[in-house]
């Protein structure tokens, strides 16, 4: 995956306008929907057990996010996930807050057990919790340097048999064999809620048009990171409120040429 | 309904500051509340079966929206709707995603059967699904030209015995006898989530002060469309994030003079 | 509490980055999380009965808000509140809409009975309902002058045995003995949804680092009011959409020097 193929994938998203079915938390629904719309995808949120299987089946990707989980929603996630699995729809999973409470950790592992996930996206602490490792994390971010985050991503990918994206200062994507580091983004992303959740949904948009899930994740991370850099250049000095709006603007405007110029991805 | 009477209705909304009770989806709650506040109405969201009848009774209008429906919320919608019916409070209904899943279609029809709805607002595909027609739609919009959307609105209004607003590139309002086409708005509305849902709630605000529901819908569509045009002129070039903020600004600022100058409504 | 000690408390919040656990309404979750992040705190929303006790225990403060209450959420609030009480975590309560329906009034009183609340924050009508007074309120605000709001705050603080913040044009904080009036803020706050709810969560952030709950409330009110004044000076003329974004920006930027210069608090 290089900048040219990422730019091509972005163009595919905009041509296909994939339906991305999100079962996500109440904090980020609006921002996620607006981010996907800005990028050129077509978001839908549908949570009822009576309809999630039907909606997941017709979607280009299914995104599961446990940020404000409850029993009803977990059942819906599993029903939707299994429907997606049956119909070849890629499932992207964001284990928000795994490790913060036992309930979240158990739920995250339960979803990984019952649904075939194409891409798991979390910060280092969350990913470590999903695979039951007492990984040494500084705060909730990946710590200094990309080394340990890469080791974690590779270990998780091998243990889980899926693509793992460990995001932080640098972002790592691994399928257990190929491993990429993506260096785009900006620190102000951490001052706006839901920027990680939206990123997970953006991975969904790319996974609906790029068959290889690791490449889809890399394309999403670089596109999102470049958009964030453009937004930060324009609005970070004004503050996180303005940055949030600028990020939506730049997701709509980020071009293949921007990615060719600014994308920073390498295979480890 | 002409521009002068629409301007007068807007002034009535701002004087009355009507309480608009919304039972709506989790994606758009914040945007809906802010849009209604900006316009000059007073939004409330209340969903519990224990209180919806009480809240609907004291409201100026009740808005039902099935964007993220579930069984509990459907029961609450029916309780609220029946309370509104008993107390003469107009009910506005937005059948979000009718047709996308069987559950949504059945729910939309169930609400139409059990609640007397003053105005049904949806895109052409949604309205066609509510009346059980296999209407030929290009995508989810009204298709080219106003002809077929007008036919649909008239047919739906007659079949359902209510006012129907079919929105798209042009917006049609019909009570089965009088039919209006409203030509305000801007395409960037489709790049921001919840602009249709907020529009439905704005119809609620107008229906609380304008007795004729078709005229209330026309006044809401034109006011909202003019505000969107003013917002687009200022912010569309910056992107959908900035447009969303500008739309809230313009809902607060749009004046009778703006409507006199820019409103584009005609009776068919 | 004077401007210097408020400035020092703000610095403590930014150093400590306290985890603020919110069980709040669906309208304001995103805005609340972004406001807390902007200020420098660390928000978490967690609602499931299976995890709220665990989350409240590790938080710096717990914020309960009944804006879109339901039976499940009320149970979760009580579980979280009791866990917070057991572990010395201050609980801040926002009785949104108490008085609007019997269900809200009863719920607000039930929470006050079953959870030891450190600070109750509401407008005059809400606070009066919580203590069962048929207080004469002009609209939902505190009425003209600070006199009656101060009497209400003092009466409520004594009856409930907690700190009470009655917010309106002026904001009153009383623990039944010491009573403060805070005169910062701007009327455009009433045109943006959730500005009161976010304020309640900001009180939580301060209560996690300031031991005296009345002083924490005063520090929060003044900081928030000064940020709102800075935001209004920059963006109120553009409209409520722009003000909302500017408020997030200013919560990130408001400094001790701003508070020294602009803070307006006096002890009655």
């Amino acid at each position: 995956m290089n900048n040219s193929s990422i730019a091509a994938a972005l163009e595919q998203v905009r041509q296909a306008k994939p339906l991305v079915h999100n079962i996500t938390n109440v904090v980020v629904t609006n921002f996620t929907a607006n981010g996907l719309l800005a990028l050129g995808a077509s978001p839908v949120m549908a949570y009822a057990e009576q309809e999630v299987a039907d909606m997941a089946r017709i979607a280009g990707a299914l995104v599961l996010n446990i940020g404000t989980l409850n029993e009803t929603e977990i059942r819906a996630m599993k029903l939707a996930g299994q429907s997606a699995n049956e119909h070849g729809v890629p499932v992207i999973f964001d284990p928000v807050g795994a490790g913060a409470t036992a309930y979240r950790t158990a739920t995250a592992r339960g979803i990984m057990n019952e649904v075939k996930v194409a891409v798991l996206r979390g910060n280092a602490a969350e990913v470590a919790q999903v695979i039951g490792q007492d990984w040494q994390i500084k705060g909730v971010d990946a710590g200094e340097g990309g080394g340990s985050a890469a080791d974690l991503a590779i270990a998780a990918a091998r243990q889980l048999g899926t693509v793992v994206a460990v995001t932080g200062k640098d972002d790592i994507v691994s399928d257990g064999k190929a491993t990429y580091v993506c260096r785009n983004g900006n620190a102000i992303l951490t001052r706006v809620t839901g920027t990680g959740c939206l990123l997970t949904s953006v991975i969904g948009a790319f996974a609906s048009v790029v068959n290889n899930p690791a490449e889809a994740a890399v394309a999403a991370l670089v596109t999102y990171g470049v958009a964030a850099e453009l937004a930060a250049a324009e609005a970070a000095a004004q503050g996180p409120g303005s940055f949030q709006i600028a990020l939506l603007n730049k997701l709509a405007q980020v071009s293949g040429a921007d990615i060719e110029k600014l994308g920073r991805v390498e295979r480890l």
Side-chain angles (χ1 to χ4, degrees), chain A residues 174-193:
Chain A
S174 180
D175 62 9
K177 284 174 281 187
T179 301
Y180 300 87
V181 57
C182 306
R183 302 190 194 280
N184 291 104
N186 185 284
I188 199 173
L189 284 164
T190 63
R191 299 298 293 276
V192 176
T193 198

Side-chain angles (χ1 to χ4, degrees), chain A residues 21 23 52-64 76-92 115-118:
Chain A
H21 177 193
I23 302 182
V52 287
D54 288 349
M55 194 67 90
R57 183 172 50 81
I58 61 171
L62 171 68
V63 177
L64 306 178
M77 286 185 189
K78 291 176 181 174
L79 286 170
Q82 287 155 3
S83 172
N85 287 168
E86 282 167 30
H87 296 91
V89 174
V91 180
I92 321 299
V115 177
K116 182 167 170 41
V117 166

Side-chain angles (χ1 to χ4, degrees), chain A residues 164-253:
Chain A
V164 174
V166 176
T167 57
K169 187 171 174 303
D170 290 337
D171 305 320
I172 310 292
V173 174
S174 180
D175 62 9
K177 284 174 281 187
T179 301
Y180 300 87
V181 57
C182 306
R183 302 190 194 280
N184 291 104
N186 185 284
I188 199 173
L189 284 164
T190 63
R191 299 298 293 276
V192 176
T193 198
T195 53
C197 302
L198 171 54
L199 169 56
T200 304
S201 290
V202 168
I203 294 174
F206 279 89
S208 72
V209 298
V210 175
N211 282 332
N212 181 310
E215 293 181 1
V218 167
L221 288 167
V222 171
T223 300
Y224 194 76
V226 168
E229 289 174 16
L230 296 171
E234 195 172 287
Q238 295 168 257
S242 294
F243 172 76
Q244 177 191 14
I245 298 305
L247 180 57
L248 294 175
N249 289 340
K250 297 306 176 189
L251 284 169
Q253 290 161 355

